[in-house]
Amino acid sequence: MNSPYGVFPDEVILQILARLPVKSVFKTKIVCKLWYKLISDKYFINLYNEISVKNPMVIVQVTDSSLESRSGLICVDNSKGVCEFSLDFVKDRVKVRGSCNGLLCLSSVPDKGVYYICNPLTRECKLLPRSRERPITRFHPDGEASLVGLGCDLLKGKYSVVLAGYHRSFGHRPERTFICMVYDSELKKWRKFVSLQDEQFTHMNKNQAVFVNGGLHWLTDSCSCMLVLDLSNDVWRKIQLPNEISCGVRSRLYLLELDGRLSVIQIYEAWMVIWVMEDYEKEEWRMVDKVSLRCIRGMVPGIFPISQNENYVFLATHKQVLVYQRNSRVWKEMFSVKDSSTLPLWFSAHAFRSTLFSCH
Amino acid sequence: MITLQSSDKDVFEIEQSILIQSGTIKNMVEDDFTFIPLPSVDTETLIKIIEYMKKHADKTDSKEKNIKEFDKDFMKKTLNELFALVFAANYLHISSLLELLYPSIADRIKDKITEAIRQIFSIRCDFTPEEERRIIMDNKWAHEGTEIEGTLD
């Protein structure tokens, strides 16, 4: 491989290819045998994933009639703008229930209890086996799990799918029995365990599960604590939020990830405050930024933060996806829908990253 | 002051404080070298590298916006120039410049057809037509859509 400058070092080629969009990476597999080998190698896949992890995006599931496919995803990237992905390769009508490190957990709309894992960029899709336990459809209400969580460990190359909720009971009030089913991608099996819980979850609580330190975290409706499932030992526990966060006057709270750590974004009146849990063991929080919402004042009641890194925050409203650049303190609209009859964008918006994580 | 010599034997005298952005030069300076020959970097490329390091030497907050504008313009070069820079920056271990070059180059090549990529990197295809066809079939979706024929940008 000669060029006017000499031979391209493998490392340089890998670093360049690791910045390509997924589709282009796959196209370059046929350039030559060396490139095919380099791209398929674990070193490259880890490098690619490491780089994309620093570039959080937002995906919104839309059933917009303007999209060619019936159901698709709009993907918003801070530097590359907006693009569309179709979910047609799943061959079922699905709803996005969870998103983690490049994989999505989808539930079938017509077939309750049927779940898929897919990577929308590599178009790999895996139907999860039905658990031999019937409980999946005995969840209450709606026959569907209250909490659906996806935890993808990029380094170990494995993932877990969590379905948790309360069972239908014959009495007037649901029991406190919290059923939890976990699918392990390595063992290719479901396991089930039970605990007692009293927590309730809002729609956004359910959509914003955060996977850090081997655990799945959800904010609860009470806003005073997080419910955490430690996947290494199947234990549920609670993390109390500090008073400064939970006792905010009329503030709304959202759970996001920030560079591998838990982050809570607090929205009240004309402010957005970003908190990070600096020390997981000691449960110590730090206020990272306090952003004035003055210039988007009219949108504040209907704005929801979806994903972020240390440089920017993505938020969704009924009809728009906005990005706030923390360094320059500039707001920018990245995407908007023209059709006023669609569901609010924030309703089906999830944090997302484009990785080469394989679901098989 | 440190003296750098390009492959074309041109010499440049630059302050040490600016040059330590290059990991390679930093190591040589620590070993007390004051004359550093760079046989793999030609004059044209070395001038650009020095321009970059001079701009990035002063990283005070007020200059940040300036530096971002400079970086954006700095990447507006031909693909060949960017390659020459990436070779030099890789040899000289200037990580901030590499972090700029990698995505810029990736962006230029992402929509090019396979043959154009082979020409750009001077690669000869060693797949048989049958092997090539099989790989394309495995990832059909990746090969759909419009692509750019030309190698030049």
Side-chain angles (χ1 to χ4, degrees):
Chain A
M1 219 186 305
N2 279 318
S3 67
Y5 332 99
V7 175
F8 274 91
D10 284 354
E11 183 64 26
V12 169
I13 295 179
L14 287 174
Q15 292 282 352
I16 293 171
L17 296 184
R19 268 88 173 166
L20 285 175
V22 173
K23 186 174 172 180
S24 307
V25 169
F26 275 74
K27 265 198 328 207
T28 50
K29 274 186 170 180
I30 56 167
V31 166
C32 67
K33 287 186 177 169
L34 174 65
W35 280 35
Y36 185 91
K37 201 164 71 90
L38 288 176
I39 291 169
S40 313
D41 188 66
K42 206 154 191 284
Y43 176 80
F44 174 73
I45 294 175
N46 284 340
L47 175 65
Y48 191 93
N49 293 341
E50 250 175 52
I51 289 168
S52 2
V53 155
K54 296 188 205 144
N55 183 39
M57 305 189 274
V58 170
I59 47 159
V60 182
Q61 186 171 16
V62 289
T63 42
D64 198 352
S65 53
S66 67
L67 276 186
E68 278 170 10
S69 50
R70 266 172 310 145
S71 146
L73 303 170
I74 299 283
C75 179
V76 185
D77 180 318
N78 183 45
S79 43
K80 299 185 182 143
V82 180
C83 54
E84 286 174 23
F85 295 104
S86 159
L87 285 177
D88 278 352
F89 64 94
V90 177
K91 309 227 185 301
D92 192 353
R93 219 160 31 99
V94 290
K95 185 164 171 251
V96 177
R97 301 300 300 274
S99 165
C100 182
N101 284 333
L103 290 188
L104 297 179
C105 178
L106 311 168
S107 66
S108 168
V109 170
D111 288 317
K112 291 225 165 106
V114 169
Y115 290 87
Y116 303 88
I117 296 291
C118 83
N119 183 324
L121 297 179
T122 63
R123 291 157 69 100
E124 274 187 326
C125 180
K126 182 188 162 91
L127 170 65
L128 291 184
R130 291 248 192 189
S131 153
R132 267 178 288 150
E133 311 256 0
R134 280 182 296 145
I136 288 188
T137 48
R138 281 173 60 200
F139 282 123
H140 169 86
D142 302 326
E144 280 211 308
S146 295
L147 295 183
V148 178
L150 176 59
C152 298
D153 189 323
L154 282 174
L155 285 177
K156 294 187 190 155
K158 58 175 266 196
Y159 59 86
S160 300
V161 180
V162 171
L163 302 176
Y166 299 98
H167 262 190
R168 188 191 310 279
S169 116
F170 292 109
H172 175 65
R173 278 196 304 269
E175 296 172 1
R176 283 182 63 215
T177 316
F178 203 59
I179 312 289
C180 184
M181 318 264 308
V182 181
Y183 177 80
D184 183 312
S185 69
E186 269 183 342
L187 302 174
K188 298 194 185 355
K189 278 202 320 216
W190 289 93
R191 60 182 190 269
K192 169 190 164 197
F193 56 94
V194 171
S195 65
L196 293 176
Q197 298 292 349
D198 242 336
E199 300 295 337
Q200 300 297 320
F201 307 92
T202 65
H203 179 84
M204 286 311 279
N205 291 157
K206 295 180 198 179
N207 268 10
Q208 292 184 319
V210 175
F211 180 65
V212 296
N213 296 344
L216 273 168
H217 304 70
W218 286 270
L219 264 185
T220 61
D221 194 20
S222 66
C223 283
S224 61
C225 69
M226 273 187 280
L227 194 60
V228 185
L229 175 61
D230 185 331
L231 286 166
S232 64
N233 56 17
D234 288 351
V235 169
W236 289 96
R237 64 189 178 95
K238 294 204 177 121
I239 295 181
Q240 294 294 334
L241 294 177
N243 287 337
E244 314 115 284
I245 302 179
S246 63
C247 297
V249 173
R250 286 188 299 151
S251 68
R252 298 181 278 134
L253 299 183
Y254 301 96
L255 186 66
L256 276 71
E257 189 191 316
L258 180 58
D259 295 333
R261 287 174 295 186
L262 288 174
S263 166
V264 168
I265 295 191
Q266 199 180 12
I267 295 188
Y268 63 95
E269 296 168 355
W271 295 99
M272 175 170 75
V273 184
I274 305 174
W275 298 85
V276 161
M277 191 193 254
E278 286 283 348
D279 190 316
Y280 192 77
E281 300 297 317
K282 299 188 193 145
E283 295 183 17
E284 279 173 5
W285 294 80
R286 182 172 69 93
M287 183 194 296
V288 163
D289 205 347
K290 188 171 177 182
V291 179
S292 164
L293 299 177
R294 214 162 5 113
C295 56
I296 55 156
R297 199 177 5 216
M299 298 184 199
V300 174
I303 197 160
F304 301 83
I306 306 292
S307 72
Q308 64 174 339
N309 68 7
E310 56 178 7
N311 295 319
Y312 58 81
V313 183
F314 272 118
L315 303 103
T317 65
H318 188 117
K319 295 197 209 155
Q320 294 158 299
V321 174
L322 305 173
V323 71
Y324 172 74
Q325 304 288 351
R326 284 175 54 196
N327 292 329
S328 55
R329 295 193 247 179
V330 169
W331 293 86
K332 186 168 149 200
E333 178 190 282
M334 298 296 291
F335 173 74
S336 74
V337 281
K338 318 292 177 257
D339 189 352
S340 56
S341 62
T342 52
L343 280 175
L345 291 181
W346 58 261
F347 195 79
S348 46
H350 293 262
F352 183 70
R353 299 174 164 143
S354 64
T355 67
L356 293 174
F357 203 120
S358 169
C359 47
H360 295 292
Chain B
M1 294 295 270
I2 305 290
T3 306
L4 301 179
Q5 186 190 59
S6 74
S7 58
D8 306 311
K9 305 288 186 240
D10 290 313
V11 288
F12 300 85
E13 264 201 356
I14 314 286
E15 276 143 23
Q16 184 176 316
S17 56
I18 294 175
L19 294 180
I20 53 169
Q21 291 174 73
S22 153
T24 308
I25 296 180
K26 182 164 180 264
N27 285 339
M28 297 190 84
V29 161
E30 278 166 5
D31 288 338
D32 293 328
F33 283 89
T34 52
F35 176 82
I36 300 177
L38 301 170
S40 55
V41 187
D42 61 43
T43 298
E44 197 188 312
T45 307
L46 187 53
I47 289 174
K48 295 185 190 120
I49 297 264
I50 292 170
E51 186 195 350
Y52 177 87
M53 286 200 282
K54 278 189 173 160
K55 189 73 186 182
H56 278 252
D58 181 9
K59 274 199 187 303
T60 52
D61 276 344
S62 56
K63 294 271 168 75
E64 214 185 288
K65 199 174 173 193
N66 252 323
I67 291 180
K68 275 207 150 74
E69 284 294 320
F70 170 84
D71 284 350
K72 215 164 138 198
D73 285 332
F74 195 69
M75 287 297 114
K76 289 181 184 160
K77 295 183 167 25
T78 67
L79 197 49
N80 280 337
E81 287 175 309
L82 293 182
F83 278 147
L85 279 170
V86 88
F87 270 96
N90 179 54
Y91 172 72
L92 291 170
H93 285 101
I94 309 173
S95 44
S96 68
L97 180 53
L98 287 171
E99 288 294 324
L100 263 191
L101 285 165
Y102 293 141
S104 299
I105 295 175
D107 222 38
R108 298 282 184 99
I109 65 171
K110 70 175 190 251
D111 290 321
K112 294 201 191 289
I113 59 172
T114 314
E115 200 40 59
I117 302 220
R118 288 182 186 132
Q119 277 182 50
I120 292 169
F121 288 88
S122 306
I123 296 173
R124 225 186 12 175
C125 174
D126 48 358
F127 282 120
T128 66
E130 176 55 47
E131 286 170 332
E132 220 183 283
R133 221 174 335 186
R134 201 161 19 102
I135 299 173
I136 292 178
M137 283 310 289
D138 280 343
N139 301 294
K140 221 159 140 212
W141 59 272
H143 298 269
E144 290 162 5
T146 48
E147 294 162 297
I148 301 174
E149 300 268 343
T151 54
L152 302 175
D153 31 11

